[in-house]
Amino acid sequence: MSDSVDVPAAAEAVLDVPVLIAGGGCSGLTASMLLSGLGVETWLACAAESTSVLPKAHVLSQRTMEIFRDLALTESVYEQGTPPENMSHAGWYAGLSGDREEYGRRCGLVEAWGAGGENPAWPAASACRPANLPQIRLEPLLRQRAEELAPGRVHFSHEVTEFEQDADGVTTTVMDHVAGVPYRVRSRYLLACDGGRLIGPSLDVGMEGADDLARMVSIHLSADLSELVHDDEVLVRWLWLPESGVGVSLVPMGPERWGRHSEEWVIHLNDSDDATARLDDEAIIGELRAQLGLTEHELNIHRITRWRLEGVVAERYRVGRVFLLGDAAHRHPPTGGFGLNSGVQDAHNLAWKIAAVLRGQAGEALLDSYEDERKRIAARNVQHAVNNAINHLLAVQAMGMGPGSDPDANWAALHRLWGDDEADAAFRAQARRAIASQSMEFDALGLDYGYTYEITSAVVGDGTPEPANPDPVRIYQPGTRPGAPLPHAWLAGAAGARLPVMDLVRPGTFLLIAGEEGEEWVSAAVKAAELLGVAVEAVRIGHLDGDFLDPRSTWVAHRGIGPQGAVLVRPDRFVAWRSAEAAEDAVGVLTDVLSRVLGRTDDSGAGGPANPDAAAEEALETEADPDPDPDPEMEPGTETDGTQPASAERE
């Protein structure tokens, strides 16, 4: 890959690149970084002048942090983000400040995002812990890393204005707003990461769902609220306002201090009748002061944003050579934090597939699995986010509160909640149950991390039924049924060096994990890889024997195979196939499975790569070092605190 590429001087000149990325938000920048890491040359054109000027999304799931770890970003995200102890809970309060001493009193508290590591299910799921970093501060980190990986190929103030696709590629016109001239880009594929502004509508891709659930007003401000808020462990505060009967949310933004001493905050006002949004900024600030009792506080207002709450999913994720990612493909209510995370995970699902096709290792059919896999997950996430938002309204109703309700009656209800009168026991149980039920938003490990892909062209089923789960929202059950995420386990490598099993999966490379007696599968993987021209690494893992040992028997407990069986893991760390035991023709089985997963319908099981493309091959760099030890510099016996791998950053 060249260090830099000049923008063509005029529309007559054409820049030729395998992948054009339209949009420079989280999904676009992640796609750029992942494709760069896979040796695919890209060109990113973003109409905005800079990364986000709005705080926007902030909670980053464990799976997203795993992807950022692949990109050497976790250390900087954790460093700038919220400390675990300041994001372990969500709380509900009686307003913020006012003329009653009960203002700001806590009504309820629930654990959130693994309770800062105290909930053992979360560190058991992944080597990475969740994080919290507002998008306004996350995107500059992503942009910087994207520019490091693709010098001269990440361009802001470059707006995609039109495009046309044909059988061989896409021709796109981009306006360089800095130079004031348009230019054209010819690409094999176009990734629409533009938030649904141009590309999806131009292709007549509609959005399914509710596009106007509510009207919202968000205020990003700096203020010292340390004397008014309590509970340093709380990240998201829901304020029930007795005087108006409605609720607002209050979220700290750091950047240097967190908890009640945060320098910046975002306040979200629910504007169901659009009355607040019609006010000018000065009137909104007045409304904010009145509702939260901040009449005497110094407020430095950074930005006021009026927006619609949406819950929609694109009808199609792929139209020919154009793919929709992020907000172009799905838009969620913020409740649950699914939007940004889903966009990052879209890119992770698609990047390795595009790289495999460009290398000639996969057929075009592999790219169809992107929509098959990601649309179902997005639809589920959108619906759950909508349910979370509705559940907040139900909690307010459980208190007998709501728009237009009587302030005295609201205060009376709160006193019943805080009291110990036996006659109010049923009321207290109802209200506290309503609060506790919001664990569906803040403790959704089953959805956040445990989501699975159904049997698609890129997932070969083994005929086993989906395991029963008593609570698929909150409970993640690790396993290797095809379509499941690779279960986490801490392994012991050479001389006892400690590493997570996720580190065995190299960018763009399949991983076959055999049992301790699975030597035949390991040999078969080498031969199948040679036959197909595909990158496959193979290891044996067992408690007592293997290339890597499983000292806590965690992998053995979840692997779902016997000592002579094998699990095939895709480059995005989802299980593609498994065999519980040995097979008579292991080479033939693996060759067939890999051909099916990669969409190589023309393979006979022997011979070179299908769908060769010499031009694309020249645009790809040599693959990364296939050495199976992901952390060769780790000292023997190195241990970590159990929340992050010892090799926290992997270039």
Side-chain angles (χ1 to χ4, degrees), residues 497-499 503 506 628-635 646-648 650:
R498 187 171 184 257
L499 75 161
D503 274 6
R506 298 290 187 169
D629 184 359
D631 195 11
E633 297 182 1
M634 183 186 293
E635 293 295 329
S647 54
R650 191 157 53 96

Side-chain angles (χ1 to χ4, degrees), residues 4-51:
S4 63
V5 176
D6 293 331
V7 176
E12 289 73 20
V14 178
L15 173 69
D16 200 333
V17 64
V19 179
L20 173 63
I21 302 170
C26 291
S27 57
L29 290 168
T30 300
S32 172
M33 291 183 287
L34 289 170
L35 288 167
S36 292
L38 292 166
V40 178
E41 291 191 2
T42 64
W43 186 270
L44 186 149
C46 179
E49 295 180 3
S50 68
T51 53

Side-chain angles (χ1 to χ4, degrees), residues 44 53 64 150 220 251 314 343 357 456 464 472 496 505 544 617 634:
L44 186 149
V53 296
T64 293
H220 177 204
V251 185
V357 172
T456 67
T464 58
V505 183
L544 298 178
E617 195 70 34
M634 183 186 293

Side-chain angles (χ1 to χ4, degrees), residues 103-249:
Y103 268 110
R105 182 170 176 176
R106 191 171 73 198
C107 302
L109 196 69
V110 299
E111 289 186 350
W113 306 295
E118 292 299 315
N119 183 339
W122 292 64
S126 173
C128 296
R129 63 174 173 84
N132 184 77
L133 185 63
Q135 201 164 334
I136 195 172
R137 299 191 180 98
L138 172 65
E139 286 188 6
L141 297 178
L142 305 186
R143 178 179 178 177
Q144 179 181 356
R145 185 62 176 146
E147 290 173 341
E148 292 172 354
L149 294 171
R153 293 178 173 271
V154 177
H155 295 275
F156 283 69
S157 295
H158 284 224
E159 181 180 4
V160 170
T161 58
E162 59 182 351
F163 64 95
E164 182 178 2
Q165 61 175 316
D166 53 49
D168 300 317
V170 186
T171 302
T172 303
T173 300
V174 181
M175 171 58 72
D176 179 350
H177 289 295
V178 176
V181 296
Y183 61 94
R184 290 187 295 160
V185 180
R186 179 69 176 172
S187 61
R188 283 279 301 276
Y189 302 105
L190 170 62
L191 306 191
C193 306
D194 63 345
R197 294 174 182 84
L198 171 70
I199 298 174
S202 297
L203 294 169
D204 293 325
V205 176
M207 305 298 288
E208 303 169 330
D211 62 359
D212 197 2
L213 291 166
R215 301 300 174 92
M216 305 291 296
V217 177
S218 297
I219 302 99
H220 177 204
L221 55 83
S222 291
D224 181 3
L225 304 180
S226 58
E227 294 182 0
L228 301 178
V229 300
H230 313 286
D231 307 330
D232 269 337
E233 71 273 25
V234 171
L235 181 67
V236 179
R237 291 169 169 82
W238 296 90
L239 309 180
W240 291 340
L241 307 180
E243 301 303 324
S244 62
V246 301
V248 304
S249 57

Side-chain angles (χ1 to χ4, degrees), residues 262-560:
S262 174
E263 305 98 321
E264 297 181 16
W265 302 83
V266 168
I267 299 170
H268 300 292
L269 305 178
N270 188 332
D271 186 28
S272 57
D273 61 0
D274 207 23
T276 303
R278 289 196 297 267
L279 300 174
D280 60 25
D281 286 0
E282 184 176 350
I284 287 178
I285 296 170
E287 184 77 8
L288 172 71
R289 287 185 177 277
Q291 288 197 33
L292 300 188
L294 298 174
T295 55
E296 303 300 324
H297 275 69
E298 180 180 348
L299 305 179
N300 179 14
I301 307 297
H302 300 300
R303 190 174 294 269
I304 296 175
T305 311
R306 301 154 179 85
W307 52 285
R308 294 183 305 175
L309 199 68
E310 296 180 278
V312 296
V313 180
E315 295 173 340
R316 302 176 65 184
Y317 275 36
R318 179 187 187 185
V319 181
R321 294 182 172 274
V322 181
F323 298 86
L324 278 61
L325 294 79
D327 285 354
H330 43 74
R331 294 191 282 277
H332 311 63
T335 41
F338 289 107
L340 183 158
N341 291 292
S342 294
V344 169
Q345 292 155 26
D346 289 343
H348 195 230
N349 180 283
L350 182 59
W352 74 270
K353 297 175 180 179
I354 286 180
V357 172
L358 289 173
R359 285 196 180 98
Q361 296 174 344
E364 283 279 340
L366 174 62
L367 300 179
D368 291 332
S369 68
Y370 168 66
E371 177 177 317
D372 294 339
E373 294 177 348
R374 292 305 302 168
K375 182 178 179 181
R376 184 182 68 87
I377 298 301
R380 183 212 61 182
N381 289 347
V382 165
Q383 185 58 57
H384 189 71
V386 171
N387 293 343
N388 288 337
I390 293 173
N391 208 47
H392 279 292
L393 298 178
L394 295 177
V396 173
Q397 292 177 7
M399 292 296 300
M401 300 171 66
S405 55
D406 179 65
D408 291 336
N410 294 337
W411 278 113
L414 289 169
H415 285 128
R416 293 174 67 195
L417 175 66
W418 295 322
D420 55 8
D421 189 332
E422 187 62 30
D424 293 329
F427 172 79
R428 288 194 297 271
Q430 172 182 292
R432 288 170 179 164
R433 183 184 189 282
I435 292 174
S437 71
Q438 209 59 40
S439 61
M440 65 187 284
E441 174 181 357
F442 299 112
D443 188 29
L445 183 61
L447 295 185
D448 268 348
Y449 194 86
Y451 66 84
T452 63
Y453 296 136
E454 294 181 342
I455 305 306
T456 67
S457 60
V459 175
V460 179
D462 63 353
T464 58
E466 184 176 356
N469 187 332
D471 189 344
V473 170
R474 299 171 179 86
I475 298 175
Y476 162 50
Q477 296 179 321
T480 63
R481 183 174 182 266
L486 175 67
H488 168 55
W490 288 105
L491 306 178
R498 187 171 184 257
L499 75 161
V501 66
M502 65 174 282
D503 274 6
L504 301 181
V505 183
R506 298 290 187 169
T509 303
F510 285 85
L511 173 70
L512 182 128
I513 304 177
E516 55 269 38
E517 299 174 14
E519 292 89 348
E520 290 187 11
W521 283 118
V522 173
S523 298
V526 174
K527 294 177 182 177
E530 291 175 351
L531 285 169
L532 297 175
V534 176
V536 182
E537 295 180 359
V539 298
R540 293 178 300 116
I541 299 177
H543 179 68
L544 298 178
D545 297 299
D547 303 299
F548 295 89
L549 300 184
D550 178 24
R552 298 175 182 172
S553 295
T554 306
W555 172 255
V556 172
H558 300 315
R559 67 186 183 181

Side-chain angles (χ1 to χ4, degrees), residues 33-75:
M33 291 183 287
L34 289 170
L35 288 167
S36 292
L38 292 166
V40 178
E41 291 191 2
T42 64
W43 186 270
L44 186 149
C46 179
E49 295 180 3
S50 68
T51 53
S52 178
V53 296
L54 303 174
K56 289 188 175 181
H58 51 96
V59 175
L60 305 173
S61 73
Q62 288 174 285
R63 185 164 305 286
T64 293
M65 291 307 297
E66 288 181 355
I67 297 168
F68 287 167
R69 185 173 182 272
D70 294 338
L71 299 168
L73 281 165
T74 52
E75 183 176 329

